[in-house]
Amino acid sequence: MSLPAFTVVIPARLASTRLPNKPLADIGGKPMIVRVAERAHASSAQRTVVATDAPEVAAACAAHGIEAVITRADHPSGTDRLAEVATLLGLPDDAIVVNVQGDEPLIEPSLIDEVALHLAHHADCAIATAAHPISEVAEVFNPNVVKVVCDAAGRALYFSRAPIPWARDAWAGVPAAAAATAQVALPAMPVLRHIGLYAYRAGFLRRFPTLALSPVEQTEALEQLRAMWHGERIGVLETAAVPAPGVDTQADLDRVRALWAQAMAQEGP
């Protein structure tokens, strides 16, 4: 199947507790949000739109020829913000919308295409996302690393910050709190790390804000669990490649700046 038509929407909030004004942070002479949009432009998306509640972010996008829309400031999640954008853009219910996080300036354009195609291939799923096998046991026990377990058809069974699946025999007698630093091996079954990239159909996006918050979503602080709580399926594209790091903290920003400079140096004049 050829690539479907799709729109990339990049939610970008100016407020950030760990890194203030994050979307406007400079990376190689341009704001981070512009760098993210440029990566999205390099995909096969027919349209790339930044969704923000901050005029400063919209102005930075306009200065670099990036389309942006102003959304409400009171959305409880990025998915709710995308729902408003789907309506603002007048997208038909069957249109595919890919949510690219605004703090992923090194995201691979090909991965954006692959997630959009994965949703197009799975008519029974409301959402498509991606994951890759974890190679370090410390990441399995890191609550900031979200894990996913899938069924035989590659649909998500559950997402969690906890180590799933739990290797009962391999980790017997190892306290979960100490396992990250203990001499324990990865289980034979791959542990998948969720990649925070989503494709939706616009009709589902418009319905998402009407779904009641779920207890498991609130407990894990993972909004995709709301869809699963209400019976929606999520298709998971498994990829071998480990994605480039995103930006949550100043240390992350420093690392991404260094990687960007390195990439530019390799490209040469």
Side-chain angles (χ1 to χ4, degrees):
M1 182 185 294
S2 60
L3 275 170
F6 66 93
T7 298
V8 168
V9 178
I10 308 170
R13 292 175 61 251
L14 195 59
S16 173
T17 55
R18 287 187 286 182
L19 188 60
N21 299 323
K22 182 166 67 170
L24 301 180
D26 181 86
I27 296 178
K30 292 182 181 179
M32 178 163 58
I33 189 60
V34 172
R35 292 299 187 192
V36 176
E38 288 175 341
R39 298 297 282 176
H41 273 306
S43 75
S44 300
Q46 278 63 48
R47 189 176 185 182
T48 298
V49 181
V50 171
T52 182
D53 57 3
E56 301 95 323
V57 173
C61 290
H64 291 86
I66 304 296
E67 183 180 3
V69 295
I70 297 291
T71 61
R72 295 183 356 236
D74 59 349
H75 288 301
S77 74
T79 310
D80 291 281
R81 192 176 306 279
L82 259 70
E84 182 184 356
V85 174
T87 297
L88 289 173
L89 299 182
L91 298 177
D93 283 351
D94 61 350
I96 292 177
V97 179
V98 178
N99 177 2
V100 174
Q101 302 297 326
D103 54 9
E104 299 280 350
L106 302 178
I107 190 169
E108 284 294 332
S110 59
L111 183 59
I112 298 173
D113 290 345
E114 289 166 7
V115 170
L117 183 60
H118 198 73
L119 182 61
H121 277 168
H122 293 80
D124 62 324
C125 294
I127 305 172
T129 189
H132 71 86
I134 291 176
S135 60
E136 297 181 10
V137 72
E139 289 197 341
V140 177
F141 292 89
N142 182 349
N144 295 316
V145 174
V146 177
K147 278 71 67 173
V148 59
V149 173
C150 300
D151 67 12
R155 296 179 298 243
L157 288 170
Y158 190 61
F159 294 84
S160 182
R161 299 182 182 279
I164 56 171
W166 179 264
R168 186 197 65 173
D169 296 333
W171 299 337
V174 179
T181 54
Q183 295 298 313
V184 298
L186 288 168
M189 178 180 177
V191 179
L192 297 179
R193 176 178 186 165
H194 178 227
I195 300 170
L197 176 68
Y198 298 94
Y200 308 88
R201 291 184 179 83
F204 170 76
L205 274 177
R206 278 189 279 266
R207 192 163 60 84
F208 182 83
T210 71
L211 300 177
L213 292 175
S214 68
V216 69
E217 167 195 7
Q218 295 172 301
T219 299
E220 293 261 18
L222 296 173
E223 64 190 74
Q224 66 268 38
L225 292 175
R226 188 190 317 178
M228 295 184 68
W229 177 266
H230 290 281
E232 299 291 352
R233 289 174 169 173
I234 299 178
V236 181
L237 168 73
E238 185 175 338
T239 175
V242 179
V247 177
D248 286 321
T249 65
Q250 183 62 48
D252 294 336
L253 179 59
D254 294 339
R255 178 169 56 162
V256 166
R257 282 171 171 166
L259 289 170
W260 186 273
Q262 181 182 357
M264 293 301 100
Q266 289 174 349
E267 287 187 8

PDB file of all heavy atoms in Angstrom, residues 63-80:
ATOM      1  N   ALA A  63       7.785  33.463  11.516  1.00  0.00           N
ATOM      2  CA  ALA A  63       9.048  34.047  11.071  1.00  0.00           C
ATOM      3  C   ALA A  63       9.866  33.080  10.218  1.00  0.00           C
ATOM      4  O   ALA A  63      10.746  33.507   9.463  1.00  0.00           O
ATOM      5  CB  ALA A  63       9.868  34.485  12.285  1.00  0.00           C
ATOM      6  N   HIS A  64       9.555  31.792  10.335  1.00  0.00           N
ATOM      7  CA  HIS A  64      10.294  30.786   9.565  1.00  0.00           C
ATOM      8  C   HIS A  64       9.397  30.061   8.566  1.00  0.00           C
ATOM      9  O   HIS A  64       9.748  28.984   8.069  1.00  0.00           O
ATOM     10  CB  HIS A  64      10.945  29.773  10.509  1.00  0.00           C
ATOM     11  CG  HIS A  64      12.061  30.356  11.329  1.00  0.00           C
ATOM     12  ND1 HIS A  64      11.843  31.007  12.528  1.00  0.00           N
ATOM     13  CD2 HIS A  64      13.406  30.407  11.100  1.00  0.00           C
ATOM     14  CE1 HIS A  64      12.996  31.406  13.023  1.00  0.00           C
ATOM     15  NE2 HIS A  64      13.952  31.065  12.192  1.00  0.00           N
ATOM     16  N   GLY A  65       8.229  30.636   8.273  1.00  0.00           N
ATOM     17  CA  GLY A  65       7.354  30.060   7.265  1.00  0.00           C
ATOM     18  C   GLY A  65       6.655  28.792   7.682  1.00  0.00           C
ATOM     19  O   GLY A  65       6.249  27.987   6.830  1.00  0.00           O
ATOM     20  N   ILE A  66       6.470  28.596   8.998  1.00  0.00           N
ATOM     21  CA  ILE A  66       5.804  27.397   9.524  1.00  0.00           C
ATOM     22  C   ILE A  66       4.362  27.746   9.883  1.00  0.00           C
ATOM     23  O   ILE A  66       4.116  28.732  10.575  1.00  0.00           O
ATOM     24  CB  ILE A  66       6.528  26.863  10.778  1.00  0.00           C
ATOM     25  CG1 ILE A  66       8.006  26.585  10.471  1.00  0.00           C
ATOM     26  CG2 ILE A  66       5.827  25.638  11.314  1.00  0.00           C
ATOM     27  CD1 ILE A  66       8.257  25.517   9.458  1.00  0.00           C
ATOM     28  N   GLU A  67       3.419  26.940   9.412  1.00  0.00           N
ATOM     29  CA  GLU A  67       2.018  27.180   9.733  1.00  0.00           C
ATOM     30  C   GLU A  67       1.744  26.866  11.199  1.00  0.00           C
ATOM     31  O   GLU A  67       2.197  25.844  11.728  1.00  0.00           O
ATOM     32  CB  GLU A  67       1.112  26.314   8.856  1.00  0.00           C
ATOM     33  CG  GLU A  67      -0.376  26.552   9.090  1.00  0.00           C
ATOM     34  CD  GLU A  67      -1.279  25.701   8.215  1.00  0.00           C
ATOM     35  OE1 GLU A  67      -0.754  24.857   7.452  1.00  0.00           O
ATOM     36  OE2 GLU A  67      -2.519  25.866   8.311  1.00  0.00           O
ATOM     37  N   ALA A  68       1.032  27.751  11.870  1.00  0.00           N
ATOM     38  CA  ALA A  68       0.686  27.538  13.286  1.00  0.00           C
ATOM     39  C   ALA A  68      -0.738  28.004  13.525  1.00  0.00           C
ATOM     40  O   ALA A  68      -1.234  28.921  12.859  1.00  0.00           O
ATOM     41  CB  ALA A  68       1.645  28.293  14.199  1.00  0.00           C
ATOM     42  N   VAL A  69      -1.403  27.353  14.491  1.00  0.00           N
ATOM     43  CA  VAL A  69      -2.734  27.763  14.922  1.00  0.00           C
ATOM     44  C   VAL A  69      -2.707  27.949  16.428  1.00  0.00           C
ATOM     45  O   VAL A  69      -1.995  27.240  17.143  1.00  0.00           O
ATOM     46  CB  VAL A  69      -3.822  26.739  14.526  1.00  0.00           C
ATOM     47  CG1 VAL A  69      -3.951  26.646  13.014  1.00  0.00           C
ATOM     48  CG2 VAL A  69      -3.528  25.370  15.123  1.00  0.00           C
ATOM     49  N   ILE A  70      -3.477  28.928  16.895  1.00  0.00           N
ATOM     50  CA  ILE A  70      -3.599  29.182  18.329  1.00  0.00           C
ATOM     51  C   ILE A  70      -4.766  28.360  18.869  1.00  0.00           C
ATOM     52  O   ILE A  70      -5.882  28.432  18.348  1.00  0.00           O
ATOM     53  CB  ILE A  70      -3.823  30.672  18.617  1.00  0.00           C
ATOM     54  CG1 ILE A  70      -2.609  31.500  18.153  1.00  0.00           C
ATOM     55  CG2 ILE A  70      -4.078  30.890  20.103  1.00  0.00           C
ATOM     56  CD1 ILE A  70      -1.363  31.285  18.970  1.00  0.00           C
ATOM     57  N   THR A  71      -4.495  27.590  19.891  1.00  0.00           N
ATOM     58  CA  THR A  71      -5.528  26.767  20.515  1.00  0.00           C
ATOM     59  C   THR A  71      -5.796  27.269  21.936  1.00  0.00           C
ATOM     60  O   THR A  71      -5.071  28.104  22.463  1.00  0.00           O
ATOM     61  CB  THR A  71      -5.093  25.294  20.568  1.00  0.00           C
ATOM     62  OG1 THR A  71      -3.901  25.188  21.358  1.00  0.00           O
ATOM     63  CG2 THR A  71      -4.811  24.757  19.175  1.00  0.00           C
ATOM     64  N   ARG A  72      -6.814  26.713  22.551  1.00  0.00           N
ATOM     65  CA  ARG A  72      -7.124  27.057  23.931  1.00  0.00           C
ATOM     66  C   ARG A  72      -5.974  26.674  24.847  1.00  0.00           C
ATOM     67  O   ARG A  72      -5.216  25.752  24.559  1.00  0.00           O
ATOM     68  CB  ARG A  72      -8.393  26.341  24.390  1.00  0.00           C
ATOM     69  CG  ARG A  72      -9.635  26.771  23.641  1.00  0.00           C
ATOM     70  CD  ARG A  72     -10.921  26.103  24.159  1.00  0.00           C
ATOM     71  NE  ARG A  72     -10.737  25.124  25.201  1.00  0.00           N
ATOM     72  CZ  ARG A  72     -11.163  23.857  25.123  1.00  0.00           C
ATOM     73  NH1 ARG A  72     -11.750  23.421  24.015  1.00  0.00           N
ATOM     74  NH2 ARG A  72     -11.006  23.033  26.132  1.00  0.00           N
ATOM     75  N   ALA A  73      -5.886  27.361  25.972  1.00  0.00           N
ATOM     76  CA  ALA A  73      -4.795  27.114  26.909  1.00  0.00           C
ATOM     77  C   ALA A  73      -5.147  26.085  27.975  1.00  0.00           C
ATOM     78  O   ALA A  73      -4.275  25.667  28.740  1.00  0.00           O
ATOM     79  CB  ALA A  73      -4.375  28.417  27.582  1.00  0.00           C
ATOM     80  N   ASP A  74      -6.400  25.648  28.029  1.00  0.00           N
ATOM     81  CA  ASP A  74      -6.842  24.815  29.148  1.00  0.00           C
ATOM     82  C   ASP A  74      -6.979  23.335  28.793  1.00  0.00           C
ATOM     83  O   ASP A  74      -7.646  22.583  29.511  1.00  0.00           O
ATOM     84  CB  ASP A  74      -8.176  25.323  29.681  1.00  0.00           C
ATOM     85  CG  ASP A  74      -9.284  25.322  28.626  1.00  0.00           C
ATOM     86  OD1 ASP A  74      -8.970  25.125  27.438  1.00  0.00           O
ATOM     87  OD2 ASP A  74     -10.457  25.509  29.000  1.00  0.00           O
ATOM     88  N   HIS A  75      -6.338  22.886  27.707  1.00  0.00           N
ATOM     89  CA  HIS A  75      -6.435  21.472  27.351  1.00  0.00           C
ATOM     90  C   HIS A  75      -5.691  20.620  28.371  1.00  0.00           C
ATOM     91  O   HIS A  75      -4.541  20.912  28.710  1.00  0.00           O
ATOM     92  CB  HIS A  75      -5.855  21.223  25.958  1.00  0.00           C
ATOM     93  CG  HIS A  75      -6.707  21.741  24.848  1.00  0.00           C
ATOM     94  ND1 HIS A  75      -8.003  21.322  24.652  1.00  0.00           N
ATOM     95  CD2 HIS A  75      -6.463  22.652  23.874  1.00  0.00           C
ATOM     96  CE1 HIS A  75      -8.513  21.939  23.599  1.00  0.00           C
ATOM     97  NE2 HIS A  75      -7.604  22.756  23.117  1.00  0.00           N
ATOM     98  N   PRO A  76      -6.304  19.536  28.850  1.00  0.00           N
ATOM     99  CA  PRO A  76      -5.637  18.689  29.839  1.00  0.00           C
ATOM    100  C   PRO A  76      -4.555  17.797  29.255  1.00  0.00           C
ATOM    101  O   PRO A  76      -3.728  17.264  29.983  1.00  0.00           O
ATOM    102  CB  PRO A  76      -6.782  17.844  30.412  1.00  0.00           C
ATOM    103  CG  PRO A  76      -7.806  17.804  29.332  1.00  0.00           C
ATOM    104  CD  PRO A  76      -7.704  19.130  28.632  1.00  0.00           C
ATOM    105  N   SER A  77      -4.544  17.608  27.935  1.00  0.00           N
ATOM    106  CA  SER A  77      -3.523  16.746  27.316  1.00  0.00           C
ATOM    107  C   SER A  77      -3.267  17.210  25.885  1.00  0.00           C
ATOM    108  O   SER A  77      -4.036  17.980  25.298  1.00  0.00           O
ATOM    109  CB  SER A  77      -3.994  15.292  27.303  1.00  0.00           C
ATOM    110  OG  SER A  77      -5.003  15.103  26.326  1.00  0.00           O
ATOM    111  N   GLY A  78      -2.157  16.704  25.335  1.00  0.00           N
ATOM    112  CA  GLY A  78      -1.837  17.019  23.949  1.00  0.00           C
ATOM    113  C   GLY A  78      -2.856  16.467  22.979  1.00  0.00           C
ATOM    114  O   GLY A  78      -3.127  17.074  21.939  1.00  0.00           O
ATOM    115  N   THR A  79      -3.461  15.330  23.305  1.00  0.00           N
ATOM    116  CA  THR A  79      -4.472  14.742  22.425  1.00  0.00           C
ATOM    117  C   THR A  79      -5.716  15.616  22.369  1.00  0.00           C
ATOM    118  O   THR A  79      -6.328  15.782  21.304  1.00  0.00           O
ATOM    119  CB  THR A  79      -4.838  13.324  22.890  1.00  0.00           C
ATOM    120  OG1 THR A  79      -3.639  12.572  23.090  1.00  0.00           O
ATOM    121  CG2 THR A  79      -5.698  12.616  21.852  1.00  0.00           C
ATOM    122  N   ASP A  80      -6.089  16.193  23.512  1.00  0.00           N
ATOM    123  CA  ASP A  80      -7.222  17.122  23.515  1.00  0.00           C
ATOM    124  C   ASP A  80      -6.919  18.332  22.636  1.00  0.00           C
ATOM    125  O   ASP A  80      -7.801  18.840  21.933  1.00  0.00           O
ATOM    126  CB  ASP A  80      -7.512  17.578  24.945  1.00  0.00           C
ATOM    127  CG  ASP A  80      -8.069  16.458  25.807  1.00  0.00           C
ATOM    128  OD1 ASP A  80      -9.270  16.164  25.687  1.00  0.00           O
ATOM    129  OD2 ASP A  80      -7.305  15.879  26.590  1.00  0.00           O
TER     130      ASP A  80
END
